[in-house]
Amino acid sequence: MNEPIQKFNLPVISILTGFAFMIGGLLKTLGIYLIFSESFLLNFIVIWFGFLVEAAIGMAVLAFLLRRHYPFRKLWLAGTGAFALGILFPALILNQFFYALLILPGFLVGFFFRQLLDEKIERKNLLFMTTLGFLICQIMILIFQPGNDICIWLREHLGPLSDSFYMHIVIIDAIIGFFVAIGVGLMVRKDKQEINV
């Protein structure tokens, strides 16, 4: 007789992971503001390392929350490595990290995530959700340009950099973490269902 599938609350896990990515994003941004210089190489290292720290924090929370369903170390290493590689290539090729063309790093993060998990089980949900999260962030960046009513309100009430802070840092990092968690959660559920069939 097959063992019953252990269920987990995917919306709660996704929200908590989104908050973890947001906290990592705040640390990343603080580091960028403190160390930013005229040197491209130094800025590249600082920004890339900041994204790596953000991913490490976010994936640690996600892997911890799913530890009963998937090996913690394997999920954390695969997720952190996927972000490190997926962000690195667009930055080197296009001289940018996220904001100009989010769909490319989004797809690459999802692709490397699947590859680093190194299993033959289908992982379309993981790739799709990761790419979708980055795509939604790209749409938000295009919509909430300086001069937009929301951006003007934020600047008037919360300070001159508040629109960039909330839109480009807090919300975007949280959305990316949220969709990565959904993709991983759907993948884990599907794996467990196939095992228990």
Side-chain angles (χ1 to χ4, degrees), residues 83-102:
F83 272 88
L85 294 172
I87 293 164
L88 181 64
F89 290 132
L92 288 172
I93 295 169
L94 303 175
N95 192 22
Q96 61 89 29
F97 282 85
F98 277 124
Y99 303 126
L101 190 63
L102 273 169

Side-chain angles (χ1 to χ4, degrees), residues 124-174:
K124 287 181 181 176
N125 287 329
L126 178 58
L127 178 60
F128 175 74
M129 285 297 171
T130 302
T131 307
L132 179 62
F134 277 79
L135 180 59
I136 289 172
C137 292
Q138 180 69 77
I139 293 169
M140 288 182 64
I141 289 171
L142 295 174
I143 292 173
F144 296 107
Q145 292 294 321
N148 179 281
D149 290 341
I150 295 174
C151 294
I152 292 171
W153 186 91
L154 287 169
R155 287 184 177 219
E156 288 178 352
H157 292 85
L158 300 175
L161 296 176
S162 57
D163 58 333
S164 294
F165 178 79
Y166 286 106
M167 291 294 176
H168 292 181
I169 300 167
V170 174
I171 295 175
I172 285 178
D173 292 328

Side-chain angles (χ1 to χ4, degrees), residues 3-70:
E3 293 181 9
I5 299 172
Q6 283 187 310
K7 294 185 178 179
F8 50 86
N9 192 330
L10 185 54
V12 171
I13 288 174
S14 300
I15 290 169
L16 291 174
T17 303
F19 275 117
F21 269 83
M22 184 180 73
I23 291 167
L26 292 173
L27 293 175
K28 168 199 70 185
T29 305
L30 180 61
I32 291 170
Y33 278 125
L34 292 175
I35 308 175
F36 202 78
S37 73
E38 297 298 322
S39 167
F40 168 78
L41 181 60
L42 178 60
N43 289 337
F44 174 87
I45 293 170
V46 169
I47 295 171
W48 179 80
F49 184 74
F51 281 119
L52 185 60
V53 169
E54 175 186 339
I57 292 170
M59 287 307 306
V61 170
L62 178 58
F64 177 79
L65 294 172
L66 290 174
R67 67 193 181 282
R68 294 181 181 173
H69 309 276
Y70 205 90

